[in-house]
Amino acid sequence: MDYCNKKYCLITYGCQMNLHESEKLGGILSEFGYTETKDVKSADIVVFNTCCIRENAEKKAEGNIGALKSLKRNKKDLIIAVGGCMTQQKGYAEKLVEKFPFIDIVFGTHNLEDFKELLLRKSENVKHVISVSEGDSRIKEGTPKMRSSFPNGWVNVNYGCNNFCTYCIVPYVRGREKSRSVDSVISECKELIDNGYKEITLLGQNVNSYGRDLGDVDFADLLGKVSELDGKFRLRFMTNHPKDLSEKLIRAICESDKTCRSIHLPLQSGSNRILKLMNRHYTREDYLREVELLRKYMPDIAITTDIMVGFPTETDEDFMDTLSLVKKVKFAGAFTFVYSPRGGTPAAKMEGQIPEEISKRRIMELIDCQNAENRRQSKEYLNKTIEVLCEGFDKKKNKFLGRDTYGRMAYFSGVEGLIGKFVNVKITKTGGMSLLGEIVDIGE
């Protein structure tokens, strides 16, 4: 099959891990000679990289897959491929092909690096190519990447998860934890810096459990080694599990002049009873001690979090425990969710599922509380000058945009060529989570 002059369209759902894995899919397709298009109708292959953390993500993906039925009917050579967490669920690939028989390729999270071989198999006139393995202890290095997020570069440090939170499907679709070697991580980070990337985000389902399968290194060690690389760049990482946040790691963040003064530390609930049901392995008191330790070393650190409401059996008292902790910690931002049952997880079988109207009331109260704190923290920026990495241009606002070391987004006017540069911005107006300012000067 001749792949020259053919186009691919990638549709990605879910987390930063999926975004980075779509960069790998783009790299594989580019090696074949495909070029990227955002227009599904002009594509010769459409690849869905899916998420199954919440039911809505699954329904959205299936809806968009179904919408291609007529396009496939009129464009016989169009290849439709579906991969990611959704397809990794047990028995899901077969159900998907039965529901959407026009799908050509289905692959799981452990088979992404094999996409080249799957595409070659499809070229041999195989009707359906399905490759969903249960897991692989090996980490496959050297997969090409079509980076799509300059000046930000994503770097996986480990894969999988061993935590088995009762609400979460990730360990079942991502497998057990596997760490990349220090040398492979350092090499990829150095390559990004050499190519002009100014922010590196180290990724893992639980980054601070990095190295447990290697034996002689941990995430604090890795963070220190990446920080020693030459060049002006920022370093972020996500996501952390509170039970694994050590004082050694906190010191490593504090001592690094590259690591951003922000950390994402998912809380999920402020109720000890609910945390136990969630299998989180920490208490609200443990969490507050970690916050205290973070602020002991870095009083200005911005702490963001994830919070879930409506977990099975959650009472008003449990919810008030969460709300009181949110008020006490004063998060710099929070991703808030209503619990969504996922088939195959213990929580989905629990009694005491919370009615939708109660969950909605609780999450609105939580959002109102956090929004007030967001506005308060944003106001503290007024008339201050901050260093921002210019990350892109917002066409709707007609402004450039970028974040400071604390992760706060700022919008500002500027000239062509700003993306990928550090700029000093004086803040003239504040909103909820965003700032408006004027460039004072431009750095590297």
Side-chain angles (χ1 to χ4, degrees):
M1 182 181 288
D2 182 11
Y3 299 100
C4 294
N5 301 317
K6 289 187 178 290
K7 298 177 180 179
Y8 71 87
C9 179
L10 272 167
I11 301 171
T12 308
Y13 305 88
C15 63
Q16 286 83 359
M17 188 77 79
N18 273 21
L19 290 171
H20 180 46
E21 289 180 345
S22 285
E23 291 181 335
K24 293 181 181 180
L25 288 166
I28 293 169
L29 288 163
S30 295
E31 278 201 339
F32 264 99
Y34 284 91
T35 56
E36 186 178 16
T37 179
K38 300 297 183 183
D39 179 17
V40 173
K41 293 180 179 178
S42 68
D44 298 284
I45 180 170
V46 179
V47 184
F48 292 88
N49 189 7
T50 64
C51 171
C52 67
I53 292 296
R54 289 173 185 82
E55 188 178 9
N56 285 346
E58 227 171 76
K59 288 182 176 178
K60 186 175 181 181
E62 287 194 356
N64 288 335
I65 293 167
L68 293 186
K69 182 177 181 179
S70 59
L71 182 63
K72 177 77 170 181
R73 187 186 301 122
N74 297 322
K75 196 173 181 179
K76 301 293 185 184
D77 292 335
L78 174 67
I79 296 173
I80 298 174
V82 185
C85 293
M86 188 173 82
T87 57
Q88 187 64 41
Q89 297 173 89
K90 191 172 183 178
Y92 194 92
E94 291 75 15
K95 292 177 183 176
L96 194 67
V97 170
E98 184 178 350
K99 187 173 183 179
F100 304 109
F102 53 87
I103 291 175
D104 299 284
I105 301 171
V106 181
F107 59 100
T109 56
H110 306 296
N111 308 95
L112 184 147
E113 280 84 1
D114 302 324
F115 191 72
K116 178 179 180 179
E117 287 72 27
L118 304 183
L119 196 56
L120 288 170
R121 280 171 57 192
K122 179 58 191 175
S123 69
E124 296 169 356
N125 293 319
V126 178
K127 185 173 183 181
H128 299 299
V129 177
I130 299 176
S131 182
V132 181
S133 61
E134 288 298 315
D136 194 334
S137 60
R138 298 169 299 148
I139 291 179
K140 299 169 185 174
E141 297 287 357
T143 303
K145 301 171 187 70
M146 182 57 68
R147 301 278 182 181
S148 59
S149 53
F150 181 86
N152 305 310
W154 312 103
V155 177
N156 276 116
V157 301
N158 58 358
Y159 301 86
C161 183
N162 292 349
N163 290 317
F164 289 92
C165 300
T166 57
Y167 54 80
C168 186
I169 196 74
V170 167
Y172 304 97
V173 296
R174 288 283 180 177
R176 302 297 78 78
E177 289 176 359
K178 296 176 292 185
S179 301
R180 295 178 68 191
S181 70
V182 171
D183 288 346
S184 62
V185 173
I186 296 296
S187 176
E188 187 173 345
C189 290
K190 188 177 186 305
E191 182 182 2
L192 286 167
I193 296 163
D194 290 344
N195 287 327
Y197 283 78
K198 297 298 176 65
E199 184 169 296
I200 295 171
T201 302
L202 305 178
L203 290 176
Q205 260 77 37
N206 182 13
V207 290
N208 45 13
S209 65
Y210 171 84
R212 286 183 181 168
D213 52 332
L214 301 178
D216 58 349
V217 66
D218 62 18
F219 185 63
D221 298 326
L222 180 68
L223 195 68
K225 290 180 183 295
V226 177
S227 298
E228 291 170 359
L229 292 173
D230 292 334
K232 182 174 174 59
F233 66 94
R234 284 181 180 165
L235 186 56
R236 299 187 192 271
F237 55 91
M238 64 187 312
T239 192
N240 301 274
H241 196 297
K243 72 178 177 63
D244 299 317
L245 182 64
S246 66
E247 186 168 2
K248 180 183 177 182
L249 176 56
I250 293 171
R251 285 200 308 269
I253 299 168
C254 181
E255 293 166 2
S256 166
D257 62 349
K258 305 286 177 59
T259 305
C260 290
R261 290 300 184 259
S262 61
I263 188 168
H264 190 69
L265 195 63
L267 169 65
Q268 302 304 354
S269 175
S271 162
N272 284 339
R273 189 182 73 84
I274 295 298
L275 286 170
K276 188 173 182 179
L277 286 174
M278 288 178 168
N279 196 38
R280 292 290 286 173
H281 296 287
Y282 58 85
T283 64
R284 66 180 281 129
E285 291 79 17
D286 295 331
Y287 191 94
L288 287 169
R289 277 192 291 271
E290 290 182 355
V291 169
E292 183 180 0
L293 195 59
L294 281 162
R295 288 177 173 158
K296 173 187 172 183
Y297 281 91
M298 296 164 284
D300 62 338
I301 193 167
I303 303 172
T304 57
T305 196
D306 297 337
I307 303 172
M308 182 187 299
V309 303
F311 189 81
T313 77
E314 183 188 66
T315 64
D316 284 340
E317 184 180 359
D318 293 321
F319 172 68
M320 293 310 296
D321 282 346
T322 297
L323 204 61
S324 68
L325 195 146
V326 168
K327 291 176 180 177
K328 186 175 182 66
V329 174
K330 301 185 187 308
F331 291 109
F335 296 95
T336 57
F337 309 94
V338 171
Y339 167 74
S340 171
R342 301 307 298 132
T345 63
K349 300 174 184 177
M350 288 181 182
E351 295 182 358
Q353 301 288 326
I354 304 300
E356 185 179 357
E357 62 271 17
I358 293 177
S359 293
K360 282 187 175 180
R361 171 176 58 78
R362 289 174 184 166
I363 200 164
M364 291 312 300
E365 188 173 353
L366 176 63
I367 289 170
D368 288 344
C369 175
Q370 183 58 45
N371 282 348
E373 180 61 25
N374 294 342
R375 288 191 294 271
R376 186 193 69 79
Q377 291 190 27
S378 286
K379 284 180 181 178
E380 294 180 351
Y381 277 87
L382 195 61
N383 297 321
K384 291 183 178 179
T385 298
I386 60 174
E387 185 183 63
V388 171
L389 173 60
C390 184
E391 300 177 32
F393 186 80
D394 189 312
K395 292 181 180 179
K396 289 184 179 179
K397 287 182 169 59
N398 197 32
K399 301 281 185 185
F400 287 94
L401 58 91
R403 293 172 295 165
D404 70 351
T405 187
Y406 307 105
R408 191 70 59 166
M409 185 68 74
Y411 294 85
F412 44 92
S413 297
V415 295
E416 193 174 340
L418 275 183
I419 295 174
K421 293 185 179 297
F422 288 97
V423 295
N424 288 319
V425 177
K426 183 176 181 180
I427 303 306
T428 57
K429 186 178 180 181
T430 66
M433 286 294 289
S434 61
L435 313 167
L436 183 65
E438 299 171 349
I439 291 180
V440 175
D441 58 68
I442 302 172
E444 294 181 44

